[in-house]
Amino acid sequence: MSIALYHFHVTQIKRSAGQSAIASAAYRSGEKLHSEYYGEDSDYTKKGGVICSEILLPPHAPHSFSDRETLWNEVEKAERGKKAQLAYSFDIALQNEFSIQENIELARQFLLEQFVRRGMVVDFAVHSPDKEDGGISNPHFHVMCPIRPLDEQGRWGKKQRREYLLDEHGERIRDEAGNYVFNAVPTTDWGSPDTLEHWRKAWADLCNQKFAEKELDCRIDHRSYERQGIDQLPTVHEGVTVRAMEAKGIRTDKGDMNRWIRRINSMRKNIAAMLSELFAAIREINRELKATKEPTLAEIITDYYSKRNAGAWSVYGKVGNLKNMSQLVNYISENNLRTVADLEARVSTQQEKLDARSAACKSVEAKMKETAELLRQAQNYADTKPIYDEWYRIKFKGKKDKFKEEHESELRKYYAAERKLKPHFHDGKLPLTKWRKDAAALEAEYASMQTEMEVLRDDVRNLRQVTLAVRSAENERQQLSEQNKKRHHQNER
């Protein structure tokens, strides 16, 4: 059974990151929407690639919310803080095995059952996999849901409620300033890890049910590789821009990283499969040799190839047999392998090495991702800081707003980079030289790991050849023994 594509990512749209609910909704739906909060338009009508967009409302929501511009302006109006969290944003992969209509119906069913039934307002848009949408290679849908819930009368409720701490007498506790101490408790479970886990599983279950209905031999799993028990490194999410560049033959850091990861995964998979096969073969050989005095591996291999040479009809075949015998005898001699038990121990040792290399690969890969992201954000910061500075210096509101509208994407990049890099500034500077050295060192370490994996794979290949020779020799010995028994039985008759 094959594994199909699974991607289910959630973030928050918030003003503290320089984001706007109106602009985000306009982008996802491919429309032009006016923001009353900012007094500006966000026009994405030329974007293309949007197959459909819909708003799904629970029964108690105002009918006016079925209009996208009205809905998100009301959200912006309800959130007064400069750093307000406005909406949840989901990015969910659809399945290439389903038609676009089947995918849309599946997405709608999921949102109605899992979101709307909880009282959530849903704005979703399905994006196509064609080049109009930046060259993306998989169909997917975006979902936006207001974080603030609606009450039964369709009015905006509270995101959080205060849960006061009480002393042993049931009285509220005050802090040093005389204020009551409390915990802010969410009024919904929409943002909890358990709910997200439930949604991720529900989407996987729904898709798998559709796969089964269509009698397709593939499934998706919402769990990470580690939780699934799959010893494999996950690739990094490349995104639209990176995929478009790679499709044009332009190499990117993320593309290179994924190529390294796929190569390591391929080698690990091959080595693990061979080791598993070797363990099974050695167990079988041990069972067969139990009844007899066990010869040395060198004796078994020499005897096996000598018999093969006796039956070889060409000089080429005899030379090949002698070459193989020499290589294997040298290998077992160099590694002090005398018996089948030694062979089994060697295989076990190589399994331990593979596990250790796997753990090391995961550690280095995580560091590579983090360093690459820091360098990427540092470049974004350097590219967009002049634009932010220019916007900041503008005094007149109208001119300032116009400049912001014209440079919305650059300013968003700046805010995202600033947020990521803020803990790393020292005296107003970033440790770019150190990060670049770290990145180069990690690349070298990763390349070294690939070499180590190649060496390990070659060693496992030799072990496989030894095991195959031993098993073949033992099979021949068994056949000869059976033939001798038959002759003896016939002679007795």
Side-chain angles (χ1 to χ4, degrees):
M1 184 173 294
S2 61
I3 302 298
L5 175 67
Y6 185 87
H7 178 72
F8 192 116
H9 183 63
V10 60
T11 57
Q12 287 186 357
I13 296 170
K14 44 194 176 183
R15 289 195 187 122
S16 61
Q19 296 170 322
S20 156
I22 282 285
S24 298
Y27 174 82
R28 286 157 176 75
S29 63
E31 296 181 1
K32 179 180 179 180
L33 302 178
H34 177 75
S35 170
E36 296 173 4
Y37 184 87
Y38 290 106
E40 61 188 24
D41 293 334
S42 293
D43 188 354
Y44 290 96
T45 52
K46 296 180 181 179
K47 173 181 174 291
V50 180
I51 291 295
C52 75
S53 61
E54 284 184 42
I55 292 177
L56 306 175
L57 301 176
H60 58 282
H63 292 299
S64 60
F65 283 9
S66 59
D67 176 75
R68 183 167 285 108
E69 190 171 88
T70 300
L71 167 62
W72 294 111
N73 271 311
E74 286 298 317
V75 170
E76 294 274 15
K77 192 184 300 182
E79 304 297 347
R80 299 178 182 178
K82 292 182 179 180
K83 296 184 178 181
Q85 298 170 342
L86 304 170
Y88 295 114
S89 174
F90 297 83
D91 179 12
I92 305 172
L94 294 168
Q95 303 305 317
N96 288 307
E97 293 79 6
F98 306 151
S99 70
I100 196 65
Q101 192 55 45
E102 287 174 328
N103 272 318
I104 292 172
E105 290 173 358
L106 207 63
R108 188 184 293 113
Q109 178 185 347
F110 170 71
L111 294 171
L112 286 170
E113 291 178 354
Q114 300 298 328
F115 288 38
V116 177
R117 186 175 290 178
R118 290 175 181 261
M120 302 173 76
V121 175
V122 173
D123 183 359
F124 84 99
V126 177
H127 287 195
S128 74
D130 56 33
K131 292 184 179 179
E132 284 185 54
D133 195 21
I136 56 177
S137 58
N138 60 287
H140 61 283
F141 66 105
H142 293 280
V143 182
M144 285 177 61
C145 302
I147 294 177
R148 188 175 295 276
L150 292 169
D151 63 21
E152 294 179 357
Q153 286 72 44
R155 296 172 304 202
W156 293 115
K158 293 182 177 181
K159 295 179 185 176
Q160 299 174 332
R161 59 180 175 81
R162 293 184 176 184
E163 191 174 82
Y164 290 95
L165 299 184
L166 306 177
D167 60 20
E168 63 272 18
H169 304 296
E171 300 293 331
R172 293 181 184 180
I173 298 173
R174 295 180 184 270
D175 59 19
E176 294 179 357
N179 299 316
Y180 290 118
V181 181
F182 64 89
N183 292 322
V185 180
T187 55
T188 69
D189 63 353
W190 303 346
S192 75
D194 288 343
T195 300
L196 177 58
E197 175 74 6
H198 170 79
W199 283 334
R200 290 172 61 83
K201 183 179 184 301
W203 174 246
D205 291 344
L206 196 60
C207 290
N208 288 334
Q209 182 181 334
K210 189 71 174 178
F211 284 132
E213 287 175 7
K214 293 172 71 69
E215 298 183 348
L216 295 173
D217 187 29
C218 51
R219 296 293 184 270
I220 59 176
D221 198 310
H222 71 289
R223 298 170 299 169
S224 65
Y225 285 150
E226 185 175 358
R227 289 172 61 196
Q228 293 179 55
I230 298 175
D231 188 19
Q232 182 169 312
L233 299 174
T235 53
V236 298
H237 181 63
E238 294 179 347
V240 173
T241 304
V242 170
R243 283 197 294 269
M245 292 173 68
E246 289 283 341
K248 294 176 182 176
I250 303 170
R251 294 179 71 95
T252 64
D253 290 341
K254 285 187 176 180
D256 286 340
M257 187 178 294
N258 280 341
R259 278 184 281 275
W260 290 334
I261 291 170
R262 291 188 187 101
R263 187 179 176 198
I264 289 288
N265 281 337
S266 177
M267 284 191 285
R268 290 168 63 196
K269 184 178 180 181
N270 291 336
I271 294 170
M274 284 193 284
L275 286 170
S276 177
E277 176 189 319
L278 289 176
F279 277 123
I282 290 170
R283 282 194 295 270
E284 180 184 338
I285 292 168
N286 272 326
R287 282 196 300 270
E288 292 169 351
L289 290 176
K290 265 187 178 180
T292 63
K293 180 181 179 297
E294 184 179 350
T296 66
L297 291 177
E299 289 172 344
I300 294 173
I301 291 170
T302 302
D303 184 57
Y304 170 70
Y305 278 103
S306 297
K307 288 178 180 177
R308 287 194 62 171
N309 249 10
W313 59 270
S314 70
V315 174
Y316 180 82
K318 290 183 178 182
V319 170
N321 284 333
L322 289 172
K323 183 179 178 182
N324 289 340
M325 181 181 73
S326 175
Q327 287 177 343
L328 293 183
V329 170
N330 284 339
Y331 174 78
I332 61 177
S333 174
E334 289 170 0
N335 291 280
N336 198 29
L337 305 178
R338 288 184 52 79
T339 65
V340 173
D342 294 336
L343 183 63
E344 184 175 19
R346 177 73 176 180
V347 172
S348 180
T349 298
Q350 298 308 75
Q351 179 68 62
E352 290 176 3
K353 285 185 179 180
L354 177 61
D355 292 342
R357 296 293 185 279
S358 298
C361 283
K362 287 180 180 178
S363 175
V364 172
E365 183 231 6
K367 293 176 184 176
M368 286 177 69
K369 286 181 181 179
E370 176 62 21
T371 305
E373 177 62 13
L374 288 171
L375 287 170
R376 186 182 75 85
Q377 292 291 6
Q379 186 61 54
N380 286 347
Y381 183 83
D383 292 342
T384 57
K385 181 67 161 62
I387 296 171
Y388 170 80
D389 290 341
E390 185 176 351
W391 170 80
Y392 188 80
R393 287 193 297 266
I394 298 173
K395 302 299 182 183
F396 299 104
K397 185 178 185 304
K399 188 177 179 181
K400 197 179 187 83
D401 290 346
K402 184 180 179 183
F403 184 91
K404 182 178 180 180
E405 181 180 356
E406 292 171 349
H407 299 278
E408 182 179 1
S409 61
E410 292 97 329
L411 290 172
R412 284 188 184 180
K413 267 189 181 180
Y414 169 79
Y415 290 126
E418 183 188 43
R419 187 170 63 254
K420 176 71 175 180
L421 300 171
K422 190 175 181 180
H424 302 283
F425 276 101
H426 299 289
D427 298 325
K429 294 181 180 180
L430 293 169
L432 294 177
T433 302
K434 180 182 180 302
W435 288 346
R436 292 189 184 107
K437 286 182 179 178
D438 289 347
L442 288 167
E443 286 185 19
E445 188 175 355
Y446 213 80
S448 174
M449 285 179 173
Q450 289 187 1
T451 303
E452 290 174 1
M453 293 289 279
E454 291 283 6
V455 171
L456 180 58
R457 184 165 64 175
D458 289 342
D459 193 71
V460 171
R461 281 200 194 105
N462 284 326
L463 286 168
R464 189 183 189 188
Q465 290 299 316
V466 172
T467 305
L468 288 173
V470 172
R471 184 164 58 180
S472 297
E474 181 57 24
N475 286 341
E476 287 183 4
R477 191 192 67 78
Q478 287 279 352
Q479 290 173 4
L480 183 61
S481 176
E482 299 260 339
Q483 290 171 1
N484 290 335
K485 285 180 181 178
K486 284 182 180 178
R487 288 197 195 98
H488 181 70
H489 184 66
Q490 288 172 352
N491 289 336
E492 285 184 341
R493 286 182 175 180

